[in-house]
Amino acid sequence: MAEQPLNGAFYGPSVPPPAPKGYFRRPGHSRGCGCCLLSFVVKVIIAIIVILGIAALIFWLIVRPRAIKFHVTEASLTRFEHTSPDNILRYNLALTVPVRNPNKRIGVYYDRIDAHAYYDGKRFSSTTLPPFYQGHKNTTVLRPMFQGQNLVIFNAGELRTYNEERISGVYNIEIKFRLRVRFKLGDLKSRRTKPKVNCDDIRLPLSTFNGTTTSATVLPLKCDFDF
């Protein structure tokens, strides 16, 4: 059966009406989902930070951690001679250094204790002290000794300073401790840390000096403890 021709012209499918004025068609929901995910991640991070802060505050209120205290209570310098031709420094220095752990619940493992002696910024001797464990509210006395000779080259200004202090009979010595320690709380032990202890500007009189010395450091001297 033959098809009947359509009456009138055919213009294709109908065209949808135009969007109202001010209407914005979103390209999709992917951007909105990305913003939601980012907001969720930020909220989680903030929540974790707040929880960790509260936990740290509670830990501090319960444990009340305090810094270890080093003091130089006694010092004996029986020899300190520098000869210019060979630049050799001969020395004999002994110290008494009480170490106080003031914490009520924290013990300290001193796995390594290196003591270094400096004069005018130059290290002239080092010694390693035996490791030990220090319980809470406890004091341990260290007795580092520096004895021997070493090559120490002074420039003109340093040599002038040495000669001035040789005449006065008082030498400005610095003692630096480099530690490797672990802290113990109950059955828990921390990772190893490396605090630094500096006992600066210890003006020590030479015990064999015949003159009068007036500028020596009055002991005990508190040392700086820094992580």
Side-chain angles (χ1 to χ4, degrees):
M1 182 176 179
E3 294 184 359
Q4 298 294 327
L6 298 176
N7 295 328
F10 175 71
Y11 298 99
S14 60
V15 179
K21 188 175 183 180
Y23 173 81
F24 174 74
R25 182 179 178 85
R26 294 183 178 180
H29 297 285
S30 59
R31 186 173 181 181
C33 292
C35 292
C36 293
L37 179 60
L38 178 61
S39 176
F40 173 76
V41 172
V42 171
K43 290 179 181 179
V44 170
I45 293 175
I46 293 175
I48 293 174
I49 293 174
V50 171
I51 292 173
L52 291 177
I54 295 174
L57 177 61
I58 294 174
F59 174 83
W60 184 85
L61 292 174
I62 295 175
V63 179
R64 295 293 180 95
R66 300 170 62 186
I68 308 299
K69 298 180 180 180
F70 282 64
H71 289 83
V72 178
T73 57
E74 297 179 12
S76 174
L77 183 65
T78 59
R79 189 179 188 185
F80 203 76
E81 302 172 357
H82 184 268
T83 53
S84 295
D86 53 5
N87 293 312
I88 297 297
L89 179 66
R90 298 170 175 83
Y91 50 86
N92 192 347
L93 170 63
L95 301 171
T96 300
V97 184
V99 180
R100 177 67 176 171
N101 176 13
N103 295 285
K104 295 181 180 180
R105 296 179 174 87
I106 299 177
V108 185
Y109 288 95
Y110 295 86
D111 295 330
R112 186 176 179 89
I113 309 172
D114 293 326
H116 307 290
Y118 288 78
Y119 176 74
D120 205 6
K122 296 181 180 296
R123 185 170 70 182
F124 64 85
S125 185
S126 297
T127 185
T128 299
L129 303 177
F132 64 95
Y133 171 76
Q134 186 178 45
H136 50 79
K137 303 290 287 185
N138 185 270
T139 300
T140 304
V141 179
L142 305 180
R143 303 183 187 278
M145 296 185 64
F146 307 93
Q147 185 177 14
Q149 63 183 32
N150 207 347
L151 177 67
V152 178
I153 300 176
F154 292 146
N155 59 32
E158 294 165 344
L159 185 59
R160 183 166 53 253
T161 298
Y162 168 78
N163 288 329
E164 291 173 354
E165 294 187 346
R166 179 175 56 82
I167 294 173
S168 68
V170 178
Y171 298 90
N172 194 341
I173 307 294
E174 299 177 11
I175 304 297
K176 301 181 185 294
F177 294 93
R178 296 299 178 260
L179 313 176
R180 295 181 184 178
V181 304
R182 292 172 294 150
F183 297 99
K184 181 177 182 293
L185 176 62
D187 294 331
L188 301 176
K189 297 178 183 178
S190 72
R191 297 181 62 182
R192 185 174 293 170
T193 59
K194 299 179 180 180
K196 300 177 181 180
V197 181
N198 296 329
C199 310
D200 298 330
D201 299 328
I202 311 175
R203 295 191 56 79
L204 299 179
L206 190 65
S207 60
T208 57
F209 185 69
N210 294 325
T212 301
T213 59
T214 59
S215 59
T217 298
V218 178
L219 301 178
L221 173 71
K222 182 179 179 181
C223 305
D224 294 328
F225 186 94
D226 187 19
F227 284 98

